[in-house]
Amino acid sequence: MESKKALITGITGQDGSYLAELLIGKGYEVHGLIRRASTFNTDRIDHLYQDPHVNGVKLFLHYGDLSDSTNLWKLLHHLRPDEIYNLAAQSHVKVSFDMPEYTGDITGVGTVRLLDAIHEMDLPCRFYQASSSEMYGKVHEIPQKETTPFHPRSPYACAKVYAYWTTVNYREAYGMFACNGILFNHESPRRGETFVTKKITKAIAYIEAGLQQKLFLGNLDSSRDWGYAPEYVEAMWKMLQQDEPDDFVIATGETHTVREFLDEAFSYANLDPQKYVETDPRYFRPSEVDYLIGDSSKAGEKIGWAPKTTFRELVRIMVDADRETLRRKMAGGKDAA
């Protein structure tokens, strides 16, 4: 039986790298869309991107961008994938206030370009759209579930709402197998270094090594529902294995403040955060999302998904990984993924 073929946009990001691992493990031929850059940005997938003729790993990378419709059409026409996972985005909320037009074009309209290409070439594939808990913004209901109204509080969240409803529209208008995964915050050792959780755990490693004296953070009272990224990409895959397309909240059902994450991480390292941590107004958002907590009971019932890693375990996984990364770096080795 011929293996399934999947295309992942945003494959070099945290979720893309874990999803590529998962799909390869299931026998898929995986193709990833990457942007051209002056430096290599494939660190998270370098351990997978090897000669397929030598070791049988089926991972192929293609240059492209969600702003380029022609390239997307060519790629889809050539590959004709069975599944498409749209994870690409300008995904940093604070940056979206500085670059609202770019964020809207890539995160929002980029989804339209993909969906319209699938529709126009009548491609019989299944489509996953990476939606976000940031869409709930100024929350209207606690906890948030699939029927909770959206109230976005950033250009990023507005773009994600547009992409969400576009996905629903193409599903309803054209009968496409298109799903939204409304994923709440999910972290891992591969989290980008500008995100608050990674800033905290990386700072601990550098403070312990005497390489950093201060950590500057924004709003410590924001509450988030934090899960473990490798588990969340499994939910993405499960959504596309259903008989009928649907939308799902993926979350732990617990909320913790940034301060709690900070205290848990520093306590694990036997460090006093008051000695090292200061707040900086530059890291505050113009409009804040204060309280996110998700209800993933629908995902549990319909696709059999549930979180496994606890908040404390997640924090410790990240602290230990950043310690090991710095140890290798100082020893002259390659950074850990």
Side-chain angles (χ1 to χ4, degrees):
M1 181 178 176
E2 188 175 349
S3 62
K4 285 186 178 180
K5 188 184 298 182
L7 172 65
I8 304 173
T9 72
I11 194 170
T12 58
Q14 169 188 255
D15 291 5
S17 66
Y18 284 122
L19 180 60
E21 283 182 355
L22 177 74
L23 295 181
I24 289 171
K26 293 181 179 296
Y28 280 65
E29 177 180 306
V30 176
H31 295 259
L33 188 70
I34 62 170
R35 289 176 298 165
R36 172 70 175 89
S38 58
T39 57
F40 290 111
N41 62 347
T42 59
D43 290 353
R44 294 184 179 96
I45 56 172
D46 280 346
H47 63 294
L48 295 173
Y49 188 50
Q50 302 169 38
D51 187 346
H53 303 293
V54 173
N55 56 23
V57 174
K58 297 181 178 180
L59 177 62
F60 306 90
L61 302 183
H62 309 268
Y63 285 117
D65 195 290
L66 291 186
S67 65
D68 186 349
S69 297
T70 301
N71 178 264
L72 292 176
W73 270 72
K74 289 180 178 177
L75 186 61
L76 292 182
H77 177 73
H78 172 68
L79 295 179
R80 303 194 68 82
D82 301 290
E83 297 173 3
I84 297 175
Y85 297 85
N86 184 31
L87 312 186
Q90 191 301 100
S91 60
H92 197 281
V93 175
K94 179 64 171 66
V95 171
S96 77
F97 285 98
D98 301 323
M99 304 176 67
E101 182 180 349
Y102 175 77
T103 300
D105 184 47
I106 299 302
T107 307
V109 181
T111 305
V112 178
R113 295 184 182 108
L114 266 176
L115 285 167
D116 207 52
I118 295 167
H119 165 62
E120 289 295 333
M121 65 178 65
D122 198 23
L123 190 64
C125 70
R126 299 188 170 200
F127 179 84
Y128 171 85
Q129 169 59 24
S131 292
S132 168
S133 60
E134 289 284 332
M135 300 188 304
Y136 295 118
K138 189 174 181 180
V139 298
H140 292 226
E141 183 179 27
I142 296 173
Q144 295 88 52
K145 51 191 177 184
E146 290 82 4
T147 56
T148 302
F150 300 137
H151 191 145
R153 300 271 282 173
S154 67
Y156 167 74
C158 290
K160 281 293 187 182
V161 170
Y162 176 73
Y164 171 93
W165 284 116
T166 298
T167 301
V168 172
N169 180 253
Y170 272 73
R171 180 172 71 215
E172 294 178 349
Y174 305 120
M176 292 173 59
F177 195 108
C179 299
N180 281 290
I182 309 173
L183 272 57
F184 280 63
N185 288 65
H186 46 289
E187 319 296 313
S188 76
R190 299 180 191 174
R191 191 55 146 150
E193 294 187 1
T194 58
F195 291 85
V196 64
T197 52
K198 184 69 168 182
K199 286 178 68 176
I200 291 169
T201 59
K202 182 179 178 182
I204 285 173
Y206 277 69
I207 288 169
E208 289 177 329
L211 301 175
Q212 184 171 334
Q213 300 303 317
K214 289 290 181 181
L215 170 62
F216 296 96
L217 299 173
N219 184 3
L220 300 183
D221 295 319
S222 290
S223 294
R224 296 291 185 270
D225 184 327
W226 274 305
Y228 188 38
E231 297 170 4
Y232 282 47
V233 301
E234 183 178 13
M236 300 176 188
W237 176 77
K238 283 178 173 288
M239 289 180 209
L240 296 197
Q241 311 314 308
Q242 306 171 88
D243 292 332
E244 299 293 335
D246 205 347
D247 307 318
F248 295 92
V249 163
I250 302 299
T252 69
E254 294 183 9
T255 191
H256 299 273
T257 63
V258 174
R259 192 185 307 276
E260 287 179 82
F261 192 103
L262 178 72
D263 289 343
E264 182 65 39
F266 271 72
S267 174
Y268 180 51
N270 294 314
L271 295 173
D272 180 1
Q274 294 187 0
K275 290 178 58 177
Y276 301 101
V277 181
E278 295 182 14
T279 57
D280 188 330
R282 292 178 300 171
Y283 298 116
F284 282 73
R285 302 176 185 177
S287 55
E288 184 57 86
V289 175
D290 293 316
Y291 194 89
L292 292 177
I293 178 171
D295 177 0
S296 59
S297 57
K298 179 180 174 181
E301 294 167 4
K302 291 201 169 185
I303 61 173
W305 182 88
K308 301 179 184 69
T309 303
T310 67
F311 175 72
R312 173 174 288 185
E313 289 169 343
L314 170 64
V315 173
R316 295 185 175 194
I317 287 169
M318 292 183 67
V319 170
D320 286 341
D322 281 325
R323 285 169 165 168
E324 176 62 16
T325 296
L326 181 59
R327 185 195 68 77
R328 291 189 181 187
K329 184 176 182 179
M330 294 179 71
K334 184 176 176 60
D335 283 4

